[in-house]
Amino acid sequence: AWIVQLGTFGNKDNAIKLRDKARAQGYSTHTTELDRGGKKLTRVFSGPFINRDDADKVKALLDKKFSVKSIVVQFSE
């Protein structure tokens, strides 16, 4: 499976705003938190998608709609 990573944010509120905007447009989105160098970061994802082609198509739409430079990554639980 594949997911689209819309961005990684140092400000959790900004991540939540992007997640909620994408949800309002009908995209399945969620956030995860991680620690990097002692700093808490929040990532925004859309998906998962069964195949890479579907993820790539959604990536292109999200990039255009939300002015982001997302990446497609393999989904792991």
Side-chain angles (χ1 to χ4, degrees):
W2 301 88
I3 54 175
V4 179
Q5 182 178 320
L6 281 77
T8 302
F9 298 83
N11 182 322
K12 185 176 181 176
D13 289 340
N14 290 340
I16 299 300
K17 285 178 191 172
L18 177 58
R19 181 200 67 191
D20 291 348
K21 271 203 249 179
R23 281 184 180 171
Q25 295 285 320
Y27 294 97
S28 170
T29 55
H30 62 279
T31 58
T32 61
E33 292 186 6
L34 69 138
D35 282 315
R36 175 135 322 136
K39 186 173 182 179
K40 269 207 187 292
L41 301 174
T42 305
R43 288 183 172 161
V44 182
F45 294 101
S46 182
F49 303 92
I50 302 247
N51 63 58
R52 175 78 192 239
D53 286 344
D54 289 343
D56 286 336
K57 287 176 189 166
V58 170
K59 175 204 182 309
L61 293 171
L62 291 168
D63 285 356
K64 187 174 184 179
K65 223 172 235 195
F66 301 108
S67 300
V68 295
K69 290 187 191 270
S70 62
I71 59 172
V72 175
V73 293
Q74 201 150 20
F75 179 70
S76 60
E77 291 188 51

